[in-house]
Amino acid sequence: MVIRLITFFMIGIVLFTLITLFLPQLLSYFWMALSVLLIIGFGYLSFHYLRKIFGMIAQQKKNH
């Protein structure tokens, strides 16, 4: 799992480096796309964990 994560980070670093070297005019669009993906990712994680927390609370109420 850790090796896979490190591999993804290395691929991302190489792609980012290639974009900054050869297509600097697209860098602003790259940052915008990255920020949108980050916001979507945080939203998904928040939704997932909130649903999990509410499920655990409901399970606790059912047990007591």
Side-chain angles (χ1 to χ4, degrees):
M1 181 69 182
V2 174
I3 300 297
R4 185 180 294 171
L5 190 62
I6 291 171
T7 304
F8 288 148
F9 280 136
M10 288 175 66
I11 291 170
I13 289 169
V14 167
L15 288 175
F16 179 73
T17 304
L18 289 174
I19 288 172
T20 57
L21 288 176
F22 297 111
L23 300 170
Q25 67 272 15
L26 296 179
L27 192 58
S28 61
Y29 297 115
F30 178 76
W31 284 120
M32 282 189 267
L34 192 61
S35 63
V36 167
L37 288 175
L38 187 66
I39 290 169
I40 290 171
F42 280 150
Y44 173 74
L45 286 175
S46 299
F47 173 74
H48 177 72
Y49 283 119
L50 283 174
R51 194 174 70 180
K52 192 175 223 180
I53 289 170
F54 287 138
M56 289 170 59
I57 291 171
Q59 186 70 14
Q60 282 285 29
K61 285 183 181 180
K62 192 187 287 186
N63 288 341
H64 288 281

